[in-house]
Amino acid sequence: MRTGAPDLDDVEELIAADVDGLLPSVALAGAQVRSVAEARREGVLEPLTQLRPRSVVIVCGSSGSASQAAQLVTAAVSARIDVPIVSAPALPGWIGPLDVVVLAGDDAGDRVLADAAARSVRRRAEVVVAVPIEGPLRDALGGSGIDLSPRVSVDSRFRFPGFVAALLAVFVSLTQVRFTGRIPDVGDLADALDGEAGANHPANESFHNHAKTLAARLEDRPAVWVGDTPGTSVIAGQAARALIAVAGTIGAVAEVGDVARIVREWSERTGSAPSDSIFHDPEIDGPAGEAPPRVFVVSAPRRELFARRHFDAIGDVDVLIGATDEETVGGTPERTPEDPSGDAPDDLTSLLLLTLRIEMAAVYLRLIRT
């Protein structure tokens, strides 16, 4: 019988504490992505290969994960593909037969998605459905639409990678539209996510387990999440969202320019100086002040050196980089000599790996607090 919360390296206790099956569910990120790859191999997206659409419109309704995924994919590919991308909470009024409409979400009963489906079909737009096709949505579609609905059942809090894969598959399938840059293969992305989940398995000790290490860093202090590009800012927001939804840990998302000010003002207000903590003597200096939030900066491998140089002067800042191919599937990561200030399609793999790592850390954090 358990007498207290497990520690991070007590495998049996961690598994026993996971009564909701969160660890197996979060580890299905690769399976979600692979199901999209399989749908593409089956020819589900074949109708898109003949199109040169006027625009691609992504409608997410009330789904936070789908909306975040749309923002990430748009940031990564919009400058590389010759078709305008619009991400909207509801269907714009100008939709017509020259447009592709992608419906993404968890809830087939969402009235916004049902309305978007009905109007898109009526106006003869090409509709891709990354929502469970049932209930009001199925009625609204009336048998129309490209079925890219989820094939893997997971907790809705962990749907983010599936939405990213579905949206990426849509853009990759538009073969009549020019797309520049290295585009991650959806199947390879699934393999990389499986590798990351395996590396963060509860049987792996904290020393070799990035998710457990991150959970330990998150346990003792509040967190502020920062991205250094629009795409990484999406991952920062997704991190804060996952931690509150899974572990009940409240965090904040900040802009890059605010990080130094946040740390400085916190230290001035509380009298804490985390960088000098090893020299603090409570008998001489009095009680230590409350430590400032731990700052986590999300970046991509090709911007790692730039990010570390930029934030080194601030002090106690963790720069988080998604696992490289070398850490997951034995390859050598490609370093693209591009402007480090922007997002690129090949950043998506590292950013999804980092998202999975953060979500697994949130699960571990929940379990050790049980």
Side-chain angles (χ1 to χ4, degrees):
M1 179 179 296
R2 291 199 306 119
T3 58
D7 65 52
L8 284 169
D9 288 327
D10 190 330
V11 180
E12 292 184 1
E13 290 290 324
L14 280 174
I15 294 174
D18 189 18
V19 294
D20 296 320
L22 295 179
L23 283 171
S25 187
V26 72
L28 288 173
Q32 293 183 65
V33 174
R34 188 167 289 103
S35 71
V36 174
E38 183 61 29
R40 188 162 182 252
R41 278 194 294 269
E42 292 171 1
V44 170
L45 293 167
E46 188 66 23
L48 297 181
T49 63
Q50 306 303 317
L51 300 181
R52 293 183 60 87
R54 176 179 62 173
S55 70
V56 175
V57 179
I58 307 168
V59 181
C60 302
S62 59
S63 174
S65 292
S67 178
Q68 292 282 89
Q71 291 178 49
L72 174 61
V73 175
T74 300
V77 309
S78 61
R80 311 303 179 97
I81 190 168
D82 289 351
V83 62
I85 303 171
V86 178
S87 178
L91 190 74
W94 45 263
I95 290 297
L98 298 178
D99 302 303
V100 171
V101 176
V102 184
L103 307 178
D106 302 303
D107 184 9
D110 189 325
R111 292 180 180 274
V112 171
L113 294 177
D115 173 71
R119 288 198 287 140
S120 297
V121 170
R122 189 164 59 247
R123 297 180 185 187
R124 293 181 294 128
E126 192 71 60
V127 183
V128 181
V129 188
V131 190
I133 301 178
E134 54 192 33
L137 181 60
R138 180 177 57 198
D139 296 340
L141 289 168
S144 300
I146 296 172
D147 183 2
L148 207 58
S149 58
R151 299 183 177 189
V152 178
S153 178
V154 299
D155 189 299
S156 61
R157 290 171 287 187
F158 306 134
R159 277 276 173 213
F160 181 75
F163 289 130
V164 172
L167 295 174
L168 182 61
V170 168
F171 290 113
V172 170
S173 297
L174 293 171
T175 54
Q176 299 299 312
V177 178
R178 189 171 69 95
F179 197 147
T180 60
R182 193 171 72 93
I183 307 166
D185 178 79
V186 181
D188 291 343
L189 176 56
D191 292 340
L193 286 166
D194 284 342
E196 177 69 21
N200 294 323
H201 189 278
N204 293 334
E205 296 181 351
S206 298
F207 185 74
H208 302 290
N209 189 317
H210 293 303
K212 286 185 178 181
T213 301
L214 181 56
R217 296 283 286 171
L218 288 163
E219 185 181 13
D220 59 344
R221 281 160 61 181
V224 172
W225 297 88
V226 181
D228 61 356
T229 65
T232 56
S233 295
V234 172
I235 303 303
Q238 183 67 13
R241 179 177 175 273
L243 283 162
I244 185 62
V246 177
T249 297
I250 298 175
V253 181
E255 299 291 332
V256 169
D258 294 331
V259 173
R261 180 179 54 79
I262 290 169
V263 174
R264 183 183 67 252
E265 290 182 356
W266 185 288
S267 298
E268 290 173 352
R269 185 170 63 253
T270 64
S272 63
S275 60
D276 296 328
S277 60
I278 60 173
F279 303 108
H280 183 83
D281 185 337
E283 294 185 2
I284 298 174
D285 302 318
E290 183 182 358
R294 199 180 298 282
V295 177
F296 294 93
V297 177
V298 178
S299 191
R302 65 192 176 87
R303 291 192 303 276
E304 180 176 2
L305 181 60
F306 175 83
R308 293 192 185 281
R309 285 178 175 175
H310 184 75
F311 291 100
D312 268 352
I314 296 175
D316 193 15
V317 174
D318 290 27
V319 177
L320 301 182
I321 307 295
T324 64
D325 292 342
E326 185 175 18
E327 292 175 299
T328 53
V329 294
T332 301
E334 180 177 338
R335 305 286 178 169
T336 50
E338 301 179 50
D339 180 357
S341 62
D343 297 295
D346 58 346
D347 289 339
L348 288 172
T349 298
S350 65
L351 294 182
L352 279 182
L353 293 173
L354 182 56
T355 301
L356 175 57
R357 185 178 301 176
I358 294 168
E359 290 180 345
M360 294 190 79
V363 173
Y364 282 127
L365 198 57
R366 176 190 178 109
L367 297 182
I368 62 175
R369 291 175 173 175
T370 300

